[in-house]
Amino acid sequence: MLVFEGSRTMSTIAGQRHDAVAETVANIRAIEADKGVTRETLEDIKAAIAGLAKRTELFPRAVFSLPGGEPRNRLYRISEDPDNRFALYLNSAKPGTRTPPHNHTTWAVIAGVDGEEHQKIYARTDDGATQGKGTVEVAREFTVTPGAAIAFMPDDIHSIQVQGAQPILHLHMYGKGLEQLTERVAYDREAGTYAVFPAHPNIMDDPGEG
């Protein structure tokens, strides 16, 4: 197949990924515009991201490599609108990677391409009256496996752990890009406190063919 620069229709894996991602994100934009942001809406968005995650040939591990040291994972920016909305990342993470309980302040969907990413979803148990103080407890758990997905509203709280011996490749999509989420917070369960959760320090653009 010939390469047409205008349409971005290509025979390469990078070109196929570009086209599949563009179609998926356009679908998600339309869903949000039509229905707003509700748990019902997120079920439709989750299905769209899960469908993309099942296209495992588009996300070769040789291209989306693991980091050499710390942090234990690397986020590849697959797509983001010019206004920083509808940001899609591929999380390439080593076993043992984990996050503290945190919110997003925007909607989010995680879908499995390869490997298992264990999720704990929390309920806040304090009254929120004291700035910087907050307690959470585990409400349920879910493991994101290849082709499976989970969705979060802006105020939902979750943590991630890559269990077992296999690294993961998982799609993470947010209503706004991570660098824009300046008010999301992470909880210290032992101390009963929370603080600003900064953007991930290891975000790279899609490397194309690598």
Side-chain angles (χ1 to χ4, degrees), residues 1-82:
M1 183 183 298
L2 295 175
V3 176
F4 299 95
E5 291 295 339
S7 66
R8 295 283 296 180
T9 301
M10 306 179 187
S11 62
T12 65
I13 293 297
Q16 293 170 31
R17 180 169 62 251
H18 176 278
D19 291 344
V21 167
E23 180 179 357
T24 301
V25 174
N27 182 25
I28 291 169
R29 284 195 208 97
I31 291 170
E32 192 200 75
D34 182 48
K35 299 182 179 180
V37 179
T38 66
R39 292 203 184 274
E40 181 180 10
T41 302
L42 289 184
E43 287 301 304
D44 293 338
I45 294 175
K46 185 173 76 172
I49 296 295
L52 180 63
K54 291 175 182 177
R55 300 279 309 274
T56 57
E57 76 281 2
L58 300 180
F59 306 101
R61 190 171 290 281
V63 172
F64 298 101
S65 59
L66 292 164
E70 296 292 339
R72 300 183 64 81
N73 70 317
R74 176 180 292 149
L75 293 176
Y76 291 91
R77 194 190 328 267
I78 304 299
S79 180
E80 184 172 343
D81 283 9

Side-chain angles (χ1 to χ4, degrees), residues 32-161:
E32 192 200 75
D34 182 48
K35 299 182 179 180
V37 179
T38 66
R39 292 203 184 274
E40 181 180 10
T41 302
L42 289 184
E43 287 301 304
D44 293 338
I45 294 175
K46 185 173 76 172
I49 296 295
L52 180 63
K54 291 175 182 177
R55 300 279 309 274
T56 57
E57 76 281 2
L58 300 180
F59 306 101
R61 190 171 290 281
V63 172
F64 298 101
S65 59
L66 292 164
E70 296 292 339
R72 300 183 64 81
N73 70 317
R74 176 180 292 149
L75 293 176
Y76 291 91
R77 194 190 328 267
I78 304 299
S79 180
E80 184 172 343
D81 283 9
D83 61 357
N84 304 121
R85 297 224 53 221
F86 302 103
L88 178 65
Y89 306 87
L90 187 69
N91 183 27
S92 180
K94 299 176 182 178
T97 300
R98 64 178 65 205
T99 69
H102 62 277
N103 64 4
H104 296 112
T105 68
T106 187
W107 61 260
V109 173
I110 298 172
V113 177
D114 188 27
E116 298 186 353
E117 183 176 299
H118 189 67
Q119 307 276 331
K120 292 183 179 180
I121 299 89
Y122 300 82
R124 188 162 175 178
T125 55
D126 69 298
D127 61 9
T130 304
Q131 185 74 17
K133 300 290 186 182
T135 56
V136 296
E137 64 179 22
V138 177
R140 62 187 179 95
E141 301 185 35
F142 179 82
T143 300
V144 179
T145 56
I150 187 170
F152 301 98
M153 291 289 283
D155 291 335
D156 288 345
I157 302 166
H158 80 127
S159 64
I160 292 171
Q161 182 177 3

